[in-house]
Amino acid sequence: MGIDIKEELALQAKGEKSLQEDGKTIKLDTSMTIPDMVKAMMPEIKKALPAVITPERFTRIALSALNNTPALQKCTPMSFLAALMNAAQLGLEPNTPLGQAYLIPYKNKGILECQFQIGYKGLIDLAYRNGQMQTIQAQSVCENDHFEYGLDPKLIHRPAFSDRGEPVYFYGIFKTVNGGFGFSVMSKSDMDQYARNYSKAFDSGYSPWKSNYEDMAKKTVIKQALKYAPIKTDFQRALSSDESIKKSLSDDMFSVQNEVIDMAA
């Protein structure tokens, strides 16, 4: 069952109710800053995290994201906490050099909210957890590389030894443990158009498309290739959280409905 942070805070401010899960009270009030809320949420974050990430490390990462991107502190608290819990439940570190996931300030219908976005390396990590994948990767093809692909299931890429030039294509490939495979190829111009049409935060100055274009392009071709891969329900559910804004918390964030995002915002 989801918890509406906004409603809970309003009720608690009136002295009527406090936010609880599993009998534990999370002490939040409307005077708290988002960093204070993150610290108060540590027990819930701890329950969501996989063993490989300690709650202390994840909390430090969240506070670092707030310090490095001050606009995140201006987002609605519920959207930031929901994005943070999305990352925690997927076991992805947001806004770090690992490039696993991003918390992005996004003006939606005139309100600054926090959007959760899976990064290229986070997508690769989630795909390998699928259990069916033997190999999954993406590459950029530059002007002076040798590159062939066509209707036949064949893809040949020989990178130039030097002076490769600018990227002109991107491709993603996968191979499964039982020998299946697939790939997807997009030109640089097609990638630009795709990003403008389908990435809700593409025009945001905080978008990883601005700071890490190549990784985002690789993520895109991997997602396209995986449309033809045998993937488990858990992985499909993880993909549904990509580029989402949510306004309530749950011990299963996949059950929380994504907010409708205004693409023209």
Side-chain angles (χ1 to χ4, degrees), residues 11-172:
L11 289 170
Q12 184 168 314
K14 295 177 182 178
E16 296 179 13
K17 196 174 181 181
S18 60
L19 191 154
Q20 292 187 350
E21 277 191 356
D22 297 337
K24 295 181 179 180
T25 301
I26 302 172
K27 298 179 180 179
L28 302 176
D29 65 61
T30 52
S31 66
M32 294 174 72
T33 64
I34 292 182
D36 288 338
M37 291 181 185
V38 171
K39 294 173 184 176
M41 287 289 297
M42 187 181 284
E44 299 308 310
I45 292 172
K46 182 177 181 179
K47 289 193 297 183
L49 286 171
V52 294
I53 306 176
T54 66
E56 292 78 15
R57 172 174 170 77
F58 194 82
T59 301
R60 285 197 301 271
I61 289 170
L63 297 176
S64 177
L66 288 164
N67 288 331
N68 293 334
T69 309
L72 284 172
Q73 299 196 39
K74 299 178 182 178
C75 292
T76 57
M78 63 289 279
S79 68
F80 180 83
L81 293 175
L84 193 63
M85 286 298 288
N86 252 330
Q89 290 184 9
L90 289 173
L92 301 178
E93 297 186 1
N95 293 36
T96 72
L98 291 178
Q100 291 186 332
Y102 301 94
L103 307 177
I104 303 171
Y106 181 83
K107 186 162 285 190
N108 186 35
K109 302 172 187 175
I111 299 173
L112 194 62
E113 296 182 309
C114 181
Q115 183 193 82
F116 172 74
Q117 191 168 132
I118 299 171
Y120 164 60
K121 293 175 183 176
L123 182 65
I124 295 290
D125 185 35
L126 292 171
Y128 274 125
R129 294 181 206 171
N130 186 51
Q132 299 294 318
M133 294 297 162
Q134 182 183 73
T135 301
I136 181 167
Q137 61 173 296
Q139 299 291 339
S140 57
V141 179
C142 296
E143 293 168 308
N144 298 324
D145 295 350
H146 175 82
F147 186 61
E148 296 178 39
Y149 80 100
L151 295 178
D152 293 333
K154 178 181 72 172
L155 187 152
I156 300 172
H157 179 204
R158 299 190 188 95
F161 288 110
S162 62
D163 189 23
R164 293 182 63 195
E166 295 297 317
V168 288
Y169 290 99
F170 300 92
Y171 66 88

Side-chain angles (χ1 to χ4, degrees), residues 96-102 117-121 170 191 202 204-220:
T96 72
L98 291 178
Q100 291 186 332
Y102 301 94
Q117 191 168 132
I118 299 171
Y120 164 60
K121 293 175 183 176
F170 300 92
M191 185 64 69
F202 178 75
S204 168
Y206 304 101
S207 171
W209 281 103
K210 305 298 183 186
S211 60
N212 207 343
Y213 179 95
E214 196 162 321
D215 271 6
M216 294 305 292
K218 290 178 178 179
K219 170 192 165 183
T220 300

Side-chain angles (χ1 to χ4, degrees), residues 174-228:
F174 71 85
K175 294 181 181 179
T176 63
V177 292
N178 63 3
F181 70 95
F183 64 85
S184 176
V185 180
M186 293 179 71
S187 69
K188 173 68 164 57
S189 59
D190 285 344
M191 185 64 69
D192 290 342
Q193 190 62 49
Y194 183 93
R196 291 189 188 95
N197 290 344
Y198 296 104
S199 177
K200 303 176 183 70
F202 178 75
D203 290 323
S204 168
Y206 304 101
S207 171
W209 281 103
K210 305 298 183 186
S211 60
N212 207 343
Y213 179 95
E214 196 162 321
D215 271 6
M216 294 305 292
K218 290 178 178 179
K219 170 192 165 183
T220 300
V221 287
I222 285 291
K223 285 183 73 172
Q224 296 300 308
L226 289 175
K227 289 181 178 180
Y228 311 103

